[in-house]
Amino acid sequence: MSRRNTGVSVRAVNAHACPVREVLDRVAGKWSVQILVAAARGPLRFTELERGIEGISRRMLTLTLRNLERDGLVTRTVHPTVPPKVEYELTAVAHELHETLRRLTDWAESNREYIAGARAAYDAEHRPELLDA
Amino acid sequence: MSRRNTGVSVRAVNAHACPVREVLDRVAGKWSVQILVAAARGPLRFTELERGIEGISRRMLTLTLRNLERDGLVTRTVHPTVPPKVEYELTAVAHELHETLRRLTDWAESNREYIAGARAAYDAEHRPELLDA
DNA sequence: CAGCATCCAGCGAGATACTG
DNA sequence: CAGTATCTCGCTGGATGCTG
């Protein structure tokens, strides 16, 4: 009866506590956003996604896609052919999310150097032992 | 030589791999965003933050504030009084981030029911065993 | 008041191997 | 092609107790 690691985040439960986290949990996984971004360009097959996302494992691609599908952010279309063909596509809601995320990454782009600088300064001040890594 | 759990996220290292994750890692922790939101209203003391954020532990508040400070998102001002008084305030960059995050939560608010519905439908279809939980 | 140190449970995710 | 199953490890974060 174990049912260990079904791929459903525990945070989905915590979400009741805080509407803010509710958003982020939908995007918090290591791969969710990259999948959203990759799939935003149109319907893609499983293998196309896999190749488009550097470093993702088959397992995590599957699990993350399932969760996105569960949240109504991607649609999964199975073409009953041989060999099988499955296409994933963002829903309208997910496209809105994608647009919002783009503003976030824009922010990151703009402030990446600022943050890197802040880190370096902080580490020099508070963590001198890290300087010879 | 253990140095276990210094509070510095492992994902900070992964960031090199993907600029997209780089943003989210700054916000991915369980409490970062809530702290950003709470602190956005003005300079707040440690205990005020603690009380303003439901359920946060002293440890996580400290760790998360340190990381935000390290990234140049909050300033930490120590008033050398007795008893000690420490105030945290968002930087200008963090205020921009906060504004961007607000759009994200707006999206969540708008689509919260849609997503809940999608989940319920998905679970009914694919996970009937969850219906009697 | 504002932390830091330590211990520990539980989840996220990588590696690997097997299937319709 | 498009998955699933199992094992494992390491990090995240909660609980608790101590200090300047």
Side-chain angles (χ1 to χ4, degrees), chain B residues 51-80:
Chain B
R51 273 179 300 210
I53 301 171
E54 186 93 13
I56 195 169
S57 67
R58 201 161 260 139
R59 168 182 143 85
M60 288 316 296
L61 182 55
T62 302
L63 284 177
T64 310
L65 280 170
R66 286 294 179 281
N67 283 329
L68 292 174
E69 185 193 0
R70 187 163 103 106
D71 286 345
L73 297 180
V74 307
T75 59
R76 178 172 178 270
T77 312
V78 180
H79 303 269

Coordinates of all heavy atoms in Angstrom, one line a residue, chain B residues 51-80:
Chain B
R51 N 5.3 37.6 12.9 CA 3.9 37.6 13.2 C 3.0 37.8 12.0 O 1.9 37.3 11.9 CB 3.6 38.6 14.2 CG 3.8 38.1 15.7 CD 3.4 39.2 16.7 NE 4.3 40.3 16.5 CZ 4.7 41.1 17.5 NH1 4.3 40.9 18.7 NH2 5.5 42.2 17.2
G52 N 3.6 38.5 11.0 CA 2.8 38.7 9.8 C 2.7 37.5 8.9 O 1.9 37.5 8.0
I53 N 3.6 36.6 9.0 CA 3.7 35.4 8.2 C 3.3 34.2 8.9 O 4.0 33.6 9.7 CB 5.1 35.3 7.5 CG1 5.4 36.5 6.8 CG2 5.1 34.0 6.6 CD1 6.9 36.6 6.3
E54 N 2.1 33.8 8.6 CA 1.4 32.6 9.3 C 2.3 31.4 9.1 O 2.5 30.9 8.0 CB 0.0 32.4 8.8 CG -0.8 31.4 9.5 CD -1.6 32.0 10.6 OE1 -1.7 33.3 10.6 OE2 -2.1 31.3 11.4
G55 N 2.7 30.8 10.2 CA 3.2 29.5 10.2 C 4.7 29.4 10.0 O 5.3 28.3 10.0
I56 N 5.4 30.5 9.8 CA 6.8 30.5 9.5 C 7.6 30.2 10.9 O 7.2 30.7 11.9 CB 7.3 31.7 8.8 CG1 8.8 31.5 8.3 CG2 7.3 32.9 9.8 CD1 9.2 32.6 7.4
S57 N 8.6 29.5 10.8 CA 9.5 29.3 12.0 C 10.6 30.3 12.0 O 10.9 31.0 11.0 CB 10.1 27.9 12.0 OG 11.1 27.8 10.9
R58 N 11.1 30.5 13.2 CA 12.1 31.5 13.4 C 13.3 31.2 12.5 O 14.0 32.0 11.9 CB 12.6 31.5 14.9 CG 13.3 32.7 15.3 CD 13.3 32.9 16.8 NE 12.2 33.8 17.3 CZ 11.5 33.6 18.3 NH1 11.6 32.5 19.0 NH2 10.6 34.5 18.7
R59 N 13.6 29.9 12.5 CA 14.8 29.4 11.7 C 14.6 29.8 10.2 O 15.5 30.3 9.6 CB 14.9 27.9 11.8 CG 15.9 27.3 10.8 CD 15.9 25.8 11.0 NE 16.0 25.1 9.8 CZ 17.2 24.8 9.2 NH1 18.3 25.2 9.7 NH2 17.2 24.2 8.0
M60 N 13.4 29.5 9.6 CA 13.3 29.7 8.2 C 13.2 31.2 7.9 O 13.6 31.6 6.9 CB 12.0 29.0 7.7 CG 12.2 27.5 7.6 SD 13.8 27.0 6.9 CE 13.6 27.6 5.3
L61 N 12.6 31.9 8.8 CA 12.6 33.4 8.6 C 14.0 33.9 8.5 O 14.4 34.7 7.6 CB 11.8 34.1 9.7 CG 11.7 35.6 9.6 CD1 11.1 36.0 8.3 CD2 10.9 36.2 10.7
T62 N 14.9 33.5 9.4 CA 16.2 33.9 9.4 C 17.0 33.5 8.1 O 17.6 34.3 7.5 CB 17.0 33.3 10.6 OG1 16.4 33.7 11.8 CG2 18.4 33.8 10.6
L63 N 16.9 32.2 7.8 CA 17.6 31.7 6.6 C 17.1 32.4 5.4 O 17.9 32.8 4.5 CB 17.3 30.2 6.5 CG 18.1 29.3 7.5 CD1 17.7 27.8 7.3 CD2 19.6 29.5 7.3
T64 N 15.8 32.6 5.2 CA 15.3 33.2 4.0 C 15.7 34.6 3.9 O 16.1 35.1 2.8 CB 13.8 33.0 3.9 OG1 13.5 31.6 4.2 CG2 13.3 33.3 2.6
L65 N 15.6 35.3 5.0 CA 16.0 36.7 5.0 C 17.5 36.9 4.6 O 17.8 37.8 3.9 CB 15.8 37.4 6.4 CG 14.3 37.8 6.7 CD1 14.2 38.2 8.2 CD2 13.9 38.9 5.8
R66 N 18.3 36.0 5.1 CA 19.7 36.0 4.8 C 19.9 35.8 3.3 O 20.7 36.5 2.7 CB 20.5 34.9 5.6 CG 20.7 35.2 7.0 CD 21.6 36.4 7.3 NE 21.7 36.6 8.7 CZ 20.8 37.2 9.5 NH1 19.7 37.7 8.9 NH2 21.0 37.4 10.7
N67 N 19.2 34.9 2.7 CA 19.4 34.7 1.3 C 18.9 35.9 0.5 O 19.5 36.3 -0.5 CB 18.7 33.4 0.9 CG 19.5 32.2 1.3 OD1 20.7 32.2 1.3 ND2 18.8 31.1 1.6
L68 N 17.8 36.5 0.9 CA 17.3 37.6 0.2 C 18.2 38.8 0.4 O 18.5 39.5 -0.6 CB 15.9 38.0 0.8 CG 14.8 37.0 0.5 CD1 13.5 37.5 1.3 CD2 14.5 36.9 -1.0
E69 N 18.8 38.9 1.5 CA 19.8 40.0 1.7 C 21.0 39.7 0.8 O 21.6 40.6 0.2 CB 20.3 40.0 3.2 CG 21.2 41.1 3.5 CD 21.8 40.9 4.9 OE1 21.6 39.9 5.6 OE2 22.7 41.8 5.3
R70 N 21.4 38.5 0.8 CA 22.6 38.1 -0.1 C 22.4 38.5 -1.5 O 23.3 38.9 -2.2 CB 22.9 36.6 0.1 CG 24.1 36.2 -0.6 CD 24.6 34.8 -0.1 NE 24.3 33.7 -1.0 CZ 25.2 33.1 -1.8 NH1 26.4 33.4 -1.7 NH2 24.8 32.1 -2.6
D71 N 21.1 38.3 -2.0 CA 20.8 38.6 -3.4 C 20.5 40.1 -3.6 O 20.1 40.5 -4.7 CB 19.6 37.8 -3.8 CG 19.9 36.3 -4.0 OD1 21.1 36.0 -4.1 OD2 19.0 35.5 -4.1
G72 N 20.7 40.9 -2.5 CA 20.4 42.3 -2.7 C 18.9 42.6 -2.8 O 18.6 43.7 -3.4
L73 N 18.1 41.8 -2.2 CA 16.6 42.1 -2.3 C 16.1 42.7 -1.0 O 15.1 43.4 -1.1 CB 15.9 40.8 -2.6 CG 16.3 40.2 -4.0 CD1 15.5 38.9 -4.2 CD2 16.0 41.2 -5.1
V74 N 16.8 42.5 0.1 CA 16.4 43.2 1.3 C 17.6 43.8 1.9 O 18.7 43.3 1.8 CB 15.6 42.3 2.3 CG1 14.5 41.6 1.7 CG2 16.6 41.3 3.0
T75 N 17.4 44.9 2.6 CA 18.5 45.4 3.4 C 18.2 45.1 4.9 O 17.0 45.0 5.3 CB 18.5 47.0 3.3 OG1 17.3 47.5 3.7 CG2 18.8 47.4 1.9
R76 N 19.3 44.9 5.6 CA 19.1 44.6 7.0 C 19.8 45.7 7.8 O 21.0 45.9 7.7 CB 19.8 43.2 7.3 CG 19.8 42.8 8.7 CD 20.4 41.3 8.8 NE 20.4 40.9 10.2 CZ 21.5 41.0 11.0 NH1 22.6 41.6 10.5 NH2 21.5 40.5 12.2
T77 N 19.0 46.3 8.7 CA 19.6 47.5 9.4 C 19.5 47.1 10.9 O 18.4 47.0 11.5 CB 18.8 48.7 9.2 OG1 18.6 48.9 7.8 CG2 19.5 50.0 9.7
V78 N 20.7 47.1 11.5 CA 20.8 46.8 13.0 C 20.9 48.1 13.8 O 21.8 48.9 13.5 CB 22.0 45.9 13.3 CG1 22.1 45.6 14.8 CG2 22.0 44.7 12.4
H79 N 19.9 48.3 14.7 CA 20.0 49.4 15.6 C 20.6 48.9 16.9 O 20.0 48.1 17.6 CB 18.6 50.0 15.8 CG 17.9 50.4 14.6 ND1 18.0 51.7 14.1 CD2 17.1 49.7 13.7 CE1 17.3 51.7 13.0 NE2 16.8 50.6 12.7
P80 N 21.8 49.4 17.2 CA 22.5 48.9 18.4 C 21.9 49.4 19.7 O 22.5 50.1 20.4 CB 23.9 49.4 18.2 CG 23.8 50.7 17.3 CD 22.5 50.5 16.6

